[in-house]
Amino acid sequence: MKAALHKIEAYSDLQRITSLFLLFLLFSLPAFADGDTDGGVIEGGPFAFDAVGDGTPDMIAAGSITLTNNVGENSQWIITDDQGIILGLPPMPGAVNFDGAGAGTCLIWHLSYNGTIEGLEVGRSANDLVADCHDLSNSLEVIRTVPGDCQANAGELFGGPFEFDSIGDGDPDMLTPGSITLANSQGENSQWIITDNQGNILGLPPMPGVVNFDGAGPGTCLIWHLSYDGDINGLTIGQNANDLTGDCFGLSNSIEVIRTVPGDCQANGGELFGGPFEFCVDGVADNVSGITLANNSGTNNQWVVTDLAGTILGLPPMPGVVDFDGAGTGVCLIWNIAYEDGLTGLEANANVADLEGCYDISNAVYVYRSNSGAGCDPDCEAVGGTIEGGPFTFCVDGEADNVSGITLSGNSGTNNQWVITDQEGRILGLPPMPGVVDFDEAGPGICLIWNIAYEDGLTGLVEGNNISADLDGCFSISNEITVIRYETDGGTLEGGPFEFDMVGDGVADMLPAGSITLSNNQGANSQWIVTDDEGYILGLPPMPGVVDFDGAGPGTCLIWHLSYEGEISGLEMGLNAGDLEGDCFALSNSIEV
């Protein structure tokens, strides 16, 4: 009896053990028993081979990639390019020789799948696999380069487009910090670029958020990011970003910044045809005729008569009603102005240069008024002709400035004389030809070059007299060519010197607002420059106060202000400010940091 009981207890123990074992098996069965797959997690890399194609095998060391948590009936390693196209199906990553793949980027994946699968072929995309149940792991990069291979990547910009609709109102129009994000950039050097919509470089800020678009006027700007290795050429304000050249660089996509003003100005003064006219001041009415206006647009249009300097003499309803005989001797200009409501300054004795509002001015038609000459003498056959060339722009800098390439045609008369006047028509010089005149000696301002054809007996053609009002005889005056003489001054900087004694601690070291003042600067264009103590350009900020000197490391920086007219070259980071070249420029004194 006891033996029988022992047999029953032993059987019961065996039954319990068997049940527990079956239960264990049930819970430990792989997930694919329920049809689930998991490509797993692969760890290792990224891997880089920098001499592919040299014949030496480039293979991943055994054990450098680990695979965990994969689930599935079937397993396959996959090598793709960076677009997911399958390049190989090795038994394991370590079997692949990347030396023969050339430069580029490969991705390593692990695939788990149940049942059958379609598309698992070299040349197909890993994204197009079709199976009963499958899953891909994460990927690991294998970067393949050759010596000197360019890896600069400007990345991708996200944000915008941005629009500011009150440009020019004096309130800053700046991008909110973080409104533009940059992803996947790579390169030794990095630079933000602001261009117009043609790619012409307008600014090289340290970051987009420091740019105040309010002063740029209406239009469209583009924001770009540049990454580059080694040297780069053309990274200069005034140059075109499409013309950059260098060892290795890349430009990102661009983001638009649209700048408008309320009722953005679309006025067009149009184009005038007719004239020039020569009249005799003799008490008989002199009226122009045959002037036509084309291609003008705007809510309002106004005919304007000015002198040579732009001073408004009259605002007639049309040119033909003006009696120029009553104006006396001299030269008048006829213009058309197209404008929108709100224009100010359009009144007699004001200057067209002082108009404010939405407007546009046409070309001018000349009216010459004299008390002798071809306009007074029907027997006078002198013709001043047409001169072509210019206009010319010079810098008053102590170096000779001479014009060239001026041609004269259609003139007739026994004598011809080149004449240099100011904007009022006052004769400044009577050279044998325009090219011998050194305009630098005249200082800043505007000169006009003319030709006068005349017959013997002409009087009044002397320096100090007026080209039209003070001449007497048989003569005729050509059109004019403008010579603009600029003078620039970088100005005077006051403030500092400044000292930061904890650079590199991660705390921003920036100049307080208003700690540097600029005075007496002169020039159409302006740029702040930060250099090292040998003059090499470290930055081109919109203002000194946006520069964080903490990241510059110990040393001495110099802050300068540059004024310039026209084009300038050499205004690039890495170049020396002492090597700037341009039409007309000047640097201020410097301040130490």
Side-chain angles (χ1 to χ4, degrees):
M1 185 67 174
K2 287 183 178 179
L5 287 173
H6 284 307
K7 287 181 180 180
I8 293 171
E9 289 174 358
Y11 176 77
S12 298
D13 289 341
L14 178 61
Q15 197 173 34
R16 282 195 298 271
I17 291 171
T18 302
S19 298
L20 289 171
F21 179 69
L22 290 173
L23 189 62
F24 169 76
L25 287 177
L26 178 63
F27 283 101
S28 62
L29 282 173
F32 62 76
D34 293 326
D36 292 334
T37 57
D38 192 325
V41 176
I42 53 176
E43 295 181 354
F47 303 95
F49 299 110
D50 57 7
V52 295
D54 63 356
T56 302
D58 292 312
M59 305 176 77
I60 295 172
S64 55
I65 294 179
T66 59
L67 169 64
T68 57
N69 302 325
N70 56 304
V71 176
E73 295 174 357
N74 305 292
S75 180
Q76 177 64 57
W77 291 96
I78 303 177
I79 310 295
T80 74
D81 64 13
D82 54 5
Q83 302 299 310
I85 303 301
I86 299 173
L87 305 177
L89 298 165
M92 61 190 68
V96 180
N97 181 6
F98 291 94
D99 185 70
T105 299
C106 287
L107 301 176
I108 300 173
W109 313 77
H110 179 264
L111 169 70
S112 295
Y113 65 99
N114 295 338
T116 60
I117 191 165
E118 295 179 6
L120 191 58
E121 304 171 22
V122 174
R124 302 284 295 272
S125 174
N127 299 313
D128 297 333
L129 296 174
V130 178
D132 297 333
C133 186
H134 75 284
D135 186 58
L136 277 170
S137 70
N138 59 303
S139 63
L140 299 178
E141 277 190 335
V142 180
I143 302 169
R144 313 177 315 275
T145 60
V146 295
D149 191 25
C150 178
Q151 294 298 308
N153 184 349
E156 188 172 3
L157 299 183
F158 298 91
F162 303 95
E163 185 168 350
F164 298 110
D165 58 6
S166 296
I167 289 294
D169 62 357
D171 293 329
D173 291 313
M174 305 174 77
L175 302 182
T176 304
S179 57
I180 291 180
T181 57
L182 170 65
N184 303 320
S185 61
Q186 177 180 329
E188 296 174 1
N189 306 292
S190 180
Q191 177 62 55
W192 291 95
I193 303 177
I194 310 294
T195 73
D196 62 15
N197 58 4
Q198 301 299 310
N200 298 304
I201 300 174
L202 306 177
L204 297 165
M207 59 193 71
V210 305
V211 180
N212 182 6
F213 292 94
D214 185 70
T220 299
C221 288
L222 301 176
I223 300 174
W224 313 75
H225 180 261
L226 168 73
S227 292
Y228 63 99
D229 298 338
D231 295 328
I232 193 162
N233 302 312
L235 189 58
T236 310
I237 294 173
Q239 300 295 316
N240 195 288
N242 298 310
D243 298 330
L244 293 173
T245 59
D247 300 332
C248 176
F249 69 93
L251 269 177
S252 70
N253 59 304
S254 64
I255 290 179
E256 278 189 336
V257 180
I258 302 166
R259 313 176 316 272
T260 60
V261 296
D264 195 13
C265 185
Q266 299 296 318
N268 186 340
E271 188 173 4
L272 296 183
F273 299 90
F277 300 93
E278 288 186 277
F279 294 125
C280 181
V281 180
D282 56 4
V284 178
D286 295 314
N287 304 97
V288 299
S289 62
I291 294 179
T292 58
L293 170 64
N295 303 319
N296 58 304
S297 63
T299 303
N300 309 289
N301 279 275
Q302 177 62 57
W303 292 98
V304 182
V305 179
T306 75
D307 62 15
L308 282 172
T311 301
I312 299 173
L313 306 176
L315 298 165
M318 59 190 68
V321 303
V322 180
D323 179 5
F324 287 95
D325 190 80
T329 57
V331 180
C332 287
L333 306 178
I334 300 172
W335 318 76
N336 178 69
I337 295 183
Y339 64 96
E340 300 299 331
D341 295 339
L343 181 68
T344 61
L346 189 58
E347 55 191 53
N349 300 318
N351 195 289
V352 290
D354 298 327
L355 295 174
E356 292 187 3
C358 172
Y359 70 93
D360 187 60
I361 305 177
S362 70
N363 61 304
V365 172
Y366 281 74
V367 180
Y368 303 101
R369 313 176 319 274
S370 63
N371 51 20
S372 63
C376 292
D377 183 358
D379 296 324
C380 177
E381 297 182 353
V383 177
T386 301
I387 53 177
E388 296 180 353
F392 300 93
T393 301
F394 294 122
C395 184
V396 178
D397 55 6
E399 297 184 8
D401 294 316
N402 305 96
V403 301
S404 62
I406 293 178
T407 60
L408 170 64
S409 62
N411 58 304
S412 65
T414 303
N415 309 289
N416 279 275
Q417 176 63 55
W418 292 100
V419 183
I420 311 296
T421 75
D422 61 16
Q423 277 189 289
E424 307 289 340
R426 184 172 62 91
I427 299 173
L428 304 177
L430 298 164
M433 59 190 70
V436 303
V437 180
D438 179 5
F439 289 93
D440 191 80
E441 296 178 350
I446 296 177
C447 286
L448 305 176
I449 301 174
W450 316 75
N451 178 68
I452 292 183
Y454 63 97
E455 299 300 331
D456 294 340
L458 178 68
T459 61
L461 189 58
V462 295
E463 291 183 17
N465 279 352
N466 188 281
I467 191 173
S468 178
D470 298 325
L471 301 184
D472 187 17
C474 173
F475 67 94
S476 177
I477 307 172
S478 72
N479 61 303
E480 42 52 83
I481 289 177
T482 303
V483 180
I484 302 172
R485 309 179 313 277
Y486 290 120
E487 186 171 36
T488 57
D489 191 326
T492 301
L493 299 183
E494 295 182 358
F498 302 94
E499 185 170 345
F500 299 109
D501 56 7
M502 291 290 287
V503 293
D505 61 357
V507 179
D509 293 315
M510 305 175 78
L511 303 182
S515 57
I516 292 181
T517 59
L518 169 65
S519 59
N520 302 320
N521 56 303
Q522 181 177 333
N525 304 293
S526 183
Q527 177 64 55
W528 291 95
I529 303 176
V530 179
T531 73
D532 64 13
D533 54 4
E534 294 185 351
Y536 287 95
I537 299 173
L538 305 177
L540 297 164
M543 59 192 73
V546 305
V547 181
D548 182 3
F549 292 92
D550 185 71
T556 299
C557 290
L558 302 176
I559 299 174
W560 312 76
H561 180 262
L562 169 72
S563 296
Y564 64 99
E565 301 278 353
E567 295 186 357
I568 193 163
S569 61
L571 190 59
E572 305 176 34
M573 288 188 292
L575 299 184
N576 197 291
D579 297 329
L580 292 172
E581 294 183 0
D583 297 332
C584 191
F585 67 93
L587 279 169
S588 69
N589 59 304
S590 64
I591 290 180
E592 280 190 335
V593 180

